């Protein structure tokens, strides 16, 4: 019963994390304009994402433009695209594998392989979290470095956008969910299925032996 509850909780967190990865991948708010020095009052706010950049006017109008060339992008944006898309695909594979290994499905019912499939799903979810964590930390490090670099003009400085925080939250959910799925395997197969040894009681017999003949079948 405990393994089932851990399994459901782990699957729920993992699915939420996977949805968060897709959301972070599509949001254009990876980098936003920094309001510092004489740049406090501006006519527009710049958002920069993996796929497009947007300019939000003070009147509320927003114009977005998709990047024209992939090769013209910076290395961190190219890597961010590749890794987030790969993480989304890996998350889909993990979902399918976990559904096959879950107790609530009839796939591989009664087979000892079912619990191992669930363990594989948890490991894949953890891998998905690691994949999406790499571009998040890479881009965040570049933003922080350029923000404190005096050689970068104030209008070109950027701050971390909401998409980065969504991605970090999704990573945490994936890591926790994948770990719980692995723990459910340990609870189910590591504790519940421990071998039980039975030994017949030792009773003295009339001829001095340890067992009476009636203990044998």
């Amino acid at each position: 019963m405990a393994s089932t509850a851990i399994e459901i909780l782990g699957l729920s967190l993992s699915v939420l994390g996977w949805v968060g990865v897709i959301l972070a991948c599509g949001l254009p708010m990876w980098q936003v304009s920094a309001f510092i020095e004489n740049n406090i009052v501006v006519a527009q706010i710049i958002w920069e994402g993996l796929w497009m950049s947007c300019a939000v006017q003070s009147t509320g109008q927003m114009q977005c433009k998709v990047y024209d060339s992939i090769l013209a992008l910076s290395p961190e944006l190219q890597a961010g695209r590749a890794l987030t898309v790969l993480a989304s695909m890996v998350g889909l594979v993990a979902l399918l594998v976990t559904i096959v290994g879950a107790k609530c499905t009839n796939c591989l019912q009664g087979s000892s392989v079912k619990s191992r499939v669930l363990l594989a799903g948890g490991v894949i979810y953890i891998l998905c979290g690691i994949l999406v964590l790499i571009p998040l930390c890479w881009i965040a490090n570049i933003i922080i470095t350029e923000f404190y670099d005096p050689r970068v003009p104030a209008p070109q400085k950027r701050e971390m956008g909401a998409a980065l925080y969504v991605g970090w939250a999704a990573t945490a959910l994936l890591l926790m969910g994948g770990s719980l799925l692995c723990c459910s395997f340990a609870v189910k197969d590591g504790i519940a299925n421990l071998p039980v040894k039975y030994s017949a009681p030792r009773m003295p017999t009339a001829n001095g032996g340890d067992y009476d003949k009636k203990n044998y079948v």
Side-chain angles (χ1 to χ4, degrees):
M1 192 67 181
S3 63
T4 304
I6 296 175
E7 177 183 315
I8 294 175
L9 179 60
L11 180 58
S12 302
L13 294 177
S14 300
V15 171
L16 288 176
W18 175 56
V19 173
V21 170
I22 298 176
L23 183 61
C25 179
L27 285 175
M29 293 172 289
W30 283 63
Q31 305 179 56
V32 298
S33 300
F35 302 140
I36 56 175
E37 297 179 358
N38 297 327
N39 198 29
I40 296 178
V41 180
V42 293
Q44 64 181 8
I45 302 173
I46 303 299
W47 294 346
E48 295 178 359
L50 299 178
W51 308 95
M52 66 182 70
S53 61
C54 298
V56 182
Q57 307 294 333
S58 58
T59 58
Q61 295 179 340
M62 182 174 64
Q63 296 179 343
C64 295
K65 183 178 184 298
V66 179
Y67 298 134
D68 296 328
S69 174
I70 298 178
L71 299 178
L73 296 177
S74 59
E76 65 271 12
L77 290 182
Q78 294 183 22
R81 279 188 175 190
L83 290 175
T84 51
V85 171
L86 180 60
S88 301
M89 297 175 61
V90 170
L92 177 60
V93 173
L95 177 61
L96 298 177
V97 172
T98 306
I99 290 176
V100 173
K103 290 182 178 179
C104 56
T105 61
N106 295 326
C107 302
L108 302 176
Q109 193 68 30
S111 175
S112 60
V113 183
K114 190 175 181 67
S115 59
R116 291 179 174 82
V117 172
L118 181 65
L119 175 63
V123 173
I124 297 174
Y125 270 125
I126 293 175
L127 176 61
C128 177
I130 295 174
L131 286 175
V132 75
L133 184 63
I134 295 174
L136 291 171
C137 295
W138 187 359
I139 293 178
N141 179 67
I142 293 176
I143 293 173
I144 295 173
T145 303
E146 292 182 350
F147 185 86
Y148 292 106
D149 190 351
R151 296 171 296 178
V152 178
Q156 297 181 6
K157 292 181 183 292
R158 297 290 183 262
E159 290 184 351
M160 293 181 291
L164 293 180
Y165 297 101
V166 172
W168 281 322
T171 301
L173 291 175
L174 286 170
L175 295 179
M176 288 189 296
S179 300
L180 287 175
L181 291 174
C182 296
C183 290
S184 68
F185 168 81
V187 170
K188 180 167 57 178
D189 284 2
I191 298 178
N193 294 335
L194 287 176
V196 179
K197 295 182 179 180
Y198 173 78
S199 59
R202 293 179 177 273
M203 297 178 61
T205 58
N207 58 2
D210 291 335
Y211 294 98
D212 192 18
K213 291 182 179 179
K214 66 181 180 180
N215 292 327
Y216 294 91
V217 179

